[in-house]
């Protein structure tokens, strides 16, 4: 098993063991690609939402929040193009009976070629050290050149086939590249077909003529249909943004990789309304701003990369993905899309209601253009979690699993631990806990040896453990243990809140 896959399996098991994530309806053997967040997962998820909401809504004067309904008028999805175009090309392997996305099979093949190039480059970089010229090497090394030529050749067929929905050509490409089913190893494929990803349900009872409605596949449309409500009631001038966090639903063909691709998930989206012609400028701005947001969490830059879309969605004139290095490779974490006036224009047409903005500066009315930032909450959770998971061998030879979750996002900030369960230490511990709990999410624990309690807190990413010992009763000091370094300091009890607050501040550092 590859190292990344091995670690990923351990992380999934860890998530369950420590109350981060459980399979949905587990006692009935689960429901494919649907998950529940446990006691620690719910806290971490809420902290990520809070961090995003504050960075977007609170720290940007020209962005406001919204909480729109999941159910929407069915014509919304006609106007948005989702009924027509929100499809994935699927293909089945006749031997394993497994279903795949045809485009993902080809993208995985391309990723393997790119990986070969990167291996070659990093080998040479190590060999030549400071004198290594990355650009020159890529342009002249025969093996890199050969793989690059293969990539270019594949893309020259793949991109137009995807863009023009040439399903036969996608099928042909899979055959020509000799792509085999990862399960059966066979190349016995069906034709490629289109598959709409929206879930539908009925609203009202059959007797009064129930109507077919959809579970929203993105939160963005709730923002578009409320654009004028917010602009008018908030007296907003362009440019301004509307942000929203909420559930979205997609009947994914290949739901896999734990919470990476789910059928029910959460998005954190922001639509930024701008004057037509200024969208490219704002697209660049949001690309950089969003990358700063990710880096402010303290995750190193090399864990991210920006991928420019080969195939643009039906609504976009420019789009990038911010990708994260998950244990199974670089994959999309967030999209930044320049959506033009596609959505507002379409809603104006289908609803017959004007969705124009009167610009007092130019004295013109127009349909605004939109730049959107769209990030998956669950994927952000997964990125933070997979980066945080560390297995360490300590100086005394013992092992620990520690979650280096950014302290500001950690589910529990302080564990209050009386050294022993007697001599008045639990009472003192409770007194400290009761004082801290109004400012921090704390946990009180007095069972088991102190070492075991530290390990449990490390495993859920608690950044600070406060230990109450006999000296505490004499001079009102405690030891404070920092999760990553395991260093302990003795401080007066009245300083605990200040020390922890300074180090767990949720404020983005930019
Ligand atoms: N409004 C634009 C939009 O929805 P998208 O690229 O389809 O764009 C945005 O989705 C983000 O939502 C993705 O970058 C990803 O983080 C998250 N996402 C999409 N599908 C998902 C799924 N099936 N499971 C988990 N997250 C998903």
């Amino acid at each position: 098993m590859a190292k990344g896959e091995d670690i990923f399996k351990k992380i999934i098991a860890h998530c369950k063991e420590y109350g981060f994530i459980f399979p949905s309806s587990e006692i009935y053997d689960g429901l494919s690609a649907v998950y529940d967040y446990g006691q620690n997962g719910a806290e971490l998820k809420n902290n990520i939402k809070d961090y995003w909401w504050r960075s977007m809504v609170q720290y940007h004067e020209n962005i406001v929040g919204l909480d729109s309904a999941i159910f929407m008028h069915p014509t919304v999805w006609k106007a948005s193009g989702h009924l027509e175009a929100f499809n994935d090309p699927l293909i089945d392997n006749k031997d394993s009976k497994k279903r795949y996305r045809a485009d993902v099979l080809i993208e995985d093949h391309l990723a393997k070629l790119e990986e070969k190039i990167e291996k070659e480059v990093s080998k040479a970089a190590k060999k030549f050290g400071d004198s290594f010229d990355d650009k020159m090497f890529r342009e002249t090394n025969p093996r890199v050149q050969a793989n690059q030529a293969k990539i270019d050749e594949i893309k020259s067929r793949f991109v137009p086939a995807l863009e023009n929905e040439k399903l036969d050509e996608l099928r042909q490409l899979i055959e020509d590249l000799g792509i085999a089913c990862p399960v059966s190893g066979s190349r016995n494929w069906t034709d490629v077909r289109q598959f709409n990803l929206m879930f539908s349900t009925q609203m009202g009872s059959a007797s009064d003529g129930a109507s077919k409605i959809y579970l929203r596949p993105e939160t963005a449309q709730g923002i578009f249909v409320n654009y004028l409500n917010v602009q008018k009631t908030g007296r907003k001038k362009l440019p301004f943004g509307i942000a929203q966090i909420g559930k979205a639903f997609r009947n994914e063909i290949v739901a896999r990789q734990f919470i990476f691709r789910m059928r029910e998930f959460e998005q954190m989206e922001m639509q930024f309304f701008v004057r037509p012609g200024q969208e490219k400028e704002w697209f660049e701005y949001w690309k950089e701003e969003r990358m700063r947001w990710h880096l402010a969490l303290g995750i190193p830059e090399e864990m991210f990369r920006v991928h420019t879309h080969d195939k643009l969605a039906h609504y976009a004139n420019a789009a990038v993905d911010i990708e994260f290095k998950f244990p199974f490779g670089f994959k999309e974490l967030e999209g930044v899309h320049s959506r033009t006036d596609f959505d507002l224009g379409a809603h104006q047409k289908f609803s017959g209601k004007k969705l124009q903005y009167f610009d007092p500066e130019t004295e013109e009315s127009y349909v605004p253009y939109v730049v959107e930032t769209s990030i998956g909450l669950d994927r952000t959770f997964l990125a933070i979690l997979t980066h945080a998971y560390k297995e360490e061998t300590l100086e005394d030879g013992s092992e620990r699993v520690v979650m280096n979750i950014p302290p500001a996002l950690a589910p529990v900030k302080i564990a209050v631990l009386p050294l022993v369960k007697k001599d008045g230490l639990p009472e003192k511990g409770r007194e400290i806990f009761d004082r801290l709990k109004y400012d921090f999410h704390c946990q009180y624990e007095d069972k088991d040896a102190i070492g075991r309690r530290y390990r449990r807190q490390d495993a859920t990413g608690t950044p600070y453990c406060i230990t109450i010992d006999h000296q505490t009763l004499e001079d009102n000091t405690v030891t404070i243990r920092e999760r990553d370094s395991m260093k302990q300091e003795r401080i007066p009890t009245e300083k605990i809140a200040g020390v922890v607050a300074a180090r767990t501040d949720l404020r983005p550092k930019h």
Side-chain angles (χ1 to χ4, degrees):
M1 192 185 298
K3 198 163 159 255
E5 277 173 48
D6 191 24
I7 289 283
F8 194 40
K9 284 209 162 141
K10 287 186 182 175
I11 293 171
I12 296 171
H14 189 90
C15 278
K16 172 141 186 252
E17 188 180 347
Y18 288 95
F20 282 95
I21 297 170
F22 307 124
S24 157
S25 344
E26 197 186 5
I27 57 169
Y28 294 100
D29 297 331
L31 183 65
S32 173
V34 185
Y35 291 90
D36 297 337
Y37 286 81
Q39 66 279 18
N40 286 312
E43 294 292 339
L44 175 55
K45 207 174 170 198
N46 280 340
N47 292 342
I48 298 170
K49 284 194 219 182
D50 197 19
Y51 173 60
W52 184 86
W53 190 266
R54 286 203 211 184
S55 322
M56 284 296 188
V57 179
Q58 190 175 327
Y59 304 151
H60 286 97
E61 217 183 319
N62 59 354
I63 300 180
V64 291
L66 180 79
D67 184 6
S68 71
I70 287 171
F71 292 148
M72 302 183 75
H73 194 284
T75 312
V76 165
W77 307 112
K78 240 188 235 168
S80 69
H82 283 82
L83 267 178
E84 268 285 303
F86 196 55
N87 301 319
D88 275 344
L90 70 83
I91 188 165
D92 293 287
N93 183 270
K94 290 182 193 163
D95 298 318
S96 67
K97 311 273 183 263
K98 290 274 172 205
R99 181 161 285 179
Y100 299 90
R101 267 175 60 179
D103 55 332
V104 170
L105 286 178
I106 298 167
E107 273 166 10
D108 285 350
H109 186 87
L110 283 167
K112 277 188 200 140
L113 292 171
E114 270 159 17
E115 216 172 281
K116 279 189 188 164
I117 294 181
E118 292 316 313
K119 263 199 192 138
E120 205 71 58
V121 172
S122 72
K123 220 167 66 191
K126 256 193 210 139
K127 188 170 159 198
F128 295 111
D130 287 346
S131 61
F132 181 66
D133 183 337
D134 186 284
K135 186 165 178 278
M136 167 93 87
F137 183 79
R138 284 174 196 271
E139 282 169 5
T140 52
N141 179 277
R143 279 187 296 271
V144 170
Q145 288 280 294
N147 279 321
Q148 191 56 52
K150 279 188 201 159
I151 291 173
D152 294 344
E153 146 84 17
I154 296 169
K155 281 192 174 174
S156 72
R157 291 175 60 190
F158 178 47
V159 177
L162 260 189
E163 269 172 6
N164 304 316
E165 296 189 19
K166 294 247 166 16
L167 304 183
D168 291 349
E169 173 65 356
L170 287 179
R171 168 78 173 72
Q172 193 59 49
L173 200 48
I174 288 172
E175 191 156 322
D176 294 350
L177 296 173
I179 295 175
C181 166
V183 175
S184 67
S186 92
R187 298 178 173 81
N188 194 7
W189 297 107
T190 62
D191 286 341
V192 177
R193 282 163 294 145
Q194 288 290 26
F195 178 80
N196 191 285
L197 300 184
M198 283 200 293
F199 283 101
S200 65
T201 186
Q202 302 289 325
M203 186 173 248
S205 71
S207 55
D208 63 13
S211 56
K212 188 174 182 183
I213 57 165
Y214 298 90
L215 297 189
R216 66 181 179 198
E218 61 170 12
T219 59
Q221 297 304 324
I223 293 180
F224 290 124
V225 299
N226 278 295
Y227 150 75
L228 210 54
N229 283 337
V230 174
Q231 191 269 319
K232 289 232 151 96
T233 57
R235 301 193 324 279
K236 291 285 163 208
K237 286 215 169 79
L238 254 53
F240 79 94
I242 305 178
Q244 154 154 260
I245 300 176
K247 290 265 183 176
F249 304 82
R250 295 183 190 179
N251 197 3
E252 298 284 359
I253 303 168
V254 197
R256 59 179 174 174
Q257 286 151 336
F258 194 34
I259 58 168
F260 179 80
R261 197 175 299 287
M262 299 158 92
R263 295 200 165 107
E264 173 181 341
F265 58 100
E266 254 177 289
Q267 290 185 316
M268 305 189 286
E269 297 201 293
M270 194 277 299
Q271 323 302 132
F272 201 68
F273 300 90
V274 304
R275 188 186 287 171
Q278 293 186 344
E279 72 277 10
K280 287 280 161 66
E281 207 178 294
W282 282 109
F283 174 71
E284 291 304 319
Y285 170 85
W286 281 109
K287 219 164 74 178
E288 280 165 28
E289 184 68 3
R290 293 305 302 147
M291 193 50 116
R292 272 197 290 275
W293 183 88
H294 288 285
L295 297 177
L297 284 176
I299 298 176
E301 208 167 343
E302 63 268 19
M303 297 300 288
F304 297 93
R305 82 180 181 194
V306 173
H307 166 77
T308 304
H309 279 212
D310 289 326
K311 185 201 174 195
L312 290 171
H314 58 275
Y315 49 72
N317 73 356
V320 291
D321 291 340
I322 295 176
E323 295 185 337
F324 183 80
K325 195 172 179 188
F326 290 99
F328 40 86
F330 272 104
K331 296 274 174 198
E332 176 184 346
L333 174 61
E334 172 159 14
V336 182
H337 312 127
S338 173
R339 285 179 85 129
T340 67
D341 59 353
F342 175 87
D343 302 86
L344 288 182
H347 287 307
Q348 181 167 269
K349 186 168 140 216
F350 278 78
S351 67
K353 310 271 168 23
K354 274 216 153 112
L355 294 177
Q356 293 194 334
Y357 171 78
F358 176 74
D359 192 326
E361 273 177 41
T362 60
E363 300 199 331
E364 280 173 317
S365 287
Y366 50 77
V367 174
Y369 270 44
V370 172
V371 175
E372 116 180 310
T373 71
S374 175
I375 182 168
L377 174 54
D378 313 86
R379 281 194 197 172
T380 311
F381 187 109
L382 187 62
I384 289 169
L385 215 71
T386 54
H387 183 254
Y389 182 89
K390 305 270 166 2
E391 294 174 352
E392 291 180 354
T393 306
L394 306 179
E395 274 173 15
D396 65 0
S398 65
E399 313 239 308
R400 75 163 180 165
V401 170
V402 57
M403 297 296 264
N404 301 134
I405 298 171
L409 302 181
V412 173
K413 301 289 186 283
I414 306 173
V416 178
L417 314 172
L419 189 60
V420 289
K421 211 176 163 183
K422 57 181 184 184
D423 305 336
L425 300 190
E427 290 75 10
K428 185 70 185 167
R430 282 271 169 218
E431 184 194 309
I432 293 173
F433 174 87
D434 282 337
R435 245 186 294 131
L436 292 171
K437 72 181 180 190
Y438 296 105
D439 294 316
F440 305 97
H441 187 215
C442 302
Q443 216 168 55
Y444 174 88
E445 257 213 307
D446 58 14
K447 285 199 193 69
D448 296 329
I450 191 74
R452 288 185 70 177
R453 280 181 273 162
Y454 284 154
R455 289 294 163 274
R456 278 205 293 271
Q457 295 298 334
D458 289 343
T460 54
T462 305
Y464 294 102
C465 288
I466 303 293
T467 308
I468 289 100
D469 55 19
H470 293 91
Q471 194 181 328
T472 313
L473 302 181
E474 287 163 23
D475 62 6
N476 216 21
T477 62
V478 291
T479 58
I480 180 165
R481 172 190 181 270
E482 199 271 327
R483 177 194 66 197
D484 302 344
S485 63
M486 293 187 295
K487 285 214 175 93
Q488 301 196 18
E489 267 179 83
R490 202 151 193 113
I491 59 167
T493 52
E494 68 270 17
K495 289 214 166 142
I496 302 171
V499 169
V500 177
R503 299 183 200 166
T504 58
D505 188 6
L506 199 58
R507 205 172 303 216
K509 315 264 180 306
H510 68 277

